[in-house]
Amino acid sequence: MTTKKELRITIKSLKNQQDRKEWEEFSNKIFAQVEQTEAFKKSSTILSYWSMNDEVITHQAVERWSKHKKVYLPLIKGNDLELVRFEGVKKMKPEPIFGILEPTSEEKIEISGIDLVIVPGVAFDANCNRMGRGKGYYDRLLSESVAAKIGVAYNFQIVDEVPVDQHDVPLNMVVTEKNIFKR
Ligand SMILES: Nc1nc2c(c(=O)[nH]1)N(C=O)[C@@H](CNc1ccc(C(=O)N[C@@H](CCC(=O)O)C(=O)O)cc1)CN2
Ligand SMILES: Nc1ncnc2c1ncn2[C@@H]1O[C@H](COP(=O)(O)OP(=O)(O)OP(=O)(O)O)[C@@H](O)[C@H]1O
């Protein structure tokens, strides 16, 4: 059984072997699939993330969705995430630790007010288990949530088995450019 630490190293080296020119196209495909789901169609409040350069690219999808739904993005506050309304790229600022762009809006929401969460991750498996960047932010956030949870990843991030700890929260669905896994 591989450990989370080993799996993070494996995925990091796989990332370096990818042709990133395809990532924009893959990301478009992934979010086209997400938009077909009942969970998406029924949702009015979405928690997405604003992608960093090694993640499924969310920027276009967030802009598109924000025209007819309320879209929120995570903001790091110590050990927790605050959920802040997306009001356009111009109203975002880089956060000091990882440089992730975060919204500057005053409008916040509790996780209980969210219908659908688009979850980033380092690796996922076909049972919709997820491993993140190892800080536990999403595990703590999602443990309190009944929202639909859709993980998004490139297909190379799907592994046979993600090591699962007790606090890890499984997702309802994982979407890649090649597959849709449901639980
Ligand atoms: N786009 C995006 N936003 C997000 C997350 C995410 O995974 N992706 N988060 C999800 O939790 C939260 C931020 N948590 C983060 C945790 C670690 C790292 C990071 O870059 N870690 C380095 C190495 C660790 C370190 O420096 O100590 C890395 O993974 O290379 C970034 C964000 C909230 N916002
Ligand atoms: N519900 C929780 N309550 C308290 N601590 C937690 C909880 N979930 C995770 N943690 C702690 O967070 C740390 C990181 O956990 P883990 O390696 O599973 O994170 P991850 O799922 O990879 O990261 P993330 O959720 O940030 O993407 C662990 O030390 C774990 O004990």
Side-chain angles (χ1 to χ4, degrees):
M1 184 75 180
T2 46
T3 63
K4 288 189 173 181
K5 194 175 166 197
E6 288 163 347
L7 190 52
R8 286 202 178 87
I9 294 168
T10 305
I11 299 286
K12 198 171 221 173
S13 103
L14 282 174
K15 266 182 188 161
N16 291 331
Q17 299 165 31
Q18 303 301 307
D19 179 3
R20 295 196 179 203
K21 282 200 297 294
E22 297 177 322
W23 282 12
E24 187 100 38
E25 181 198 327
F26 289 172
S27 300
N28 289 339
K29 264 194 193 168
I30 289 165
F31 289 115
Q33 291 297 338
V34 168
E35 288 169 10
Q36 298 293 315
T37 64
E38 280 309 306
F40 179 86
K41 290 178 189 168
K42 284 195 297 198
S43 69
S44 50
T45 52
I46 300 181
L47 172 64
S48 182
Y49 64 95
W50 191 258
S51 52
M52 298 185 273
N53 63 11
D54 63 347
E55 296 177 316
V56 172
I57 304 162
T58 59
H59 303 180
Q60 283 184 357
V62 165
E63 300 250 28
R64 187 162 67 240
W65 300 344
S66 68
K67 300 204 165 63
H68 43 98
K69 296 177 189 270
K70 290 187 175 181
V71 179
Y72 296 81
L73 298 174
L75 190 146
I76 301 172
K77 259 284 154 67
N79 284 327
D80 290 308
L81 298 177
E82 280 188 353
L83 317 182
V84 181
R85 181 94 181 256
F86 172 80
E87 292 176 339
V89 189
K90 286 186 196 132
K91 294 197 184 161
M92 295 179 84
K93 267 210 191 117
E95 138 305 301
I97 308 167
F98 306 111
I100 306 173
L101 284 179
E102 293 182 339
T104 57
S105 169
E106 298 290 313
E107 192 180 331
K108 293 177 187 164
I109 195 169
E110 297 292 321
I111 184 68
S112 56
I114 295 286
D115 305 324
L116 170 64
V117 186
I118 305 294
V119 190
V122 173
F124 299 83
D125 67 28
N127 289 321
C128 298
N129 294 307
R130 162 186 180 274
M131 184 185 77
R133 290 183 184 263
K135 297 273 192 304
Y137 286 113
Y138 272 91
D139 295 327
R140 287 187 292 274
L141 182 75
L142 298 180
S143 68
E144 303 164 29
S145 170
V146 295
K149 304 166 191 73
I150 302 183
V152 291
Y154 300 116
N155 215 58
F156 75 86
Q157 295 174 282
I158 305 297
V159 299
D160 284 346
E161 213 178 334
V162 164
V164 179
D165 295 319
Q166 209 181 3
H167 59 251
D168 285 327
V169 181
L171 309 172
N172 304 101
M173 196 185 285
V174 174
V175 180
T176 76
E177 75 279 11
K178 285 210 183 78
N179 284 300
I180 297 179
F181 303 101
K182 289 180 191 165
R183 194 177 164 100

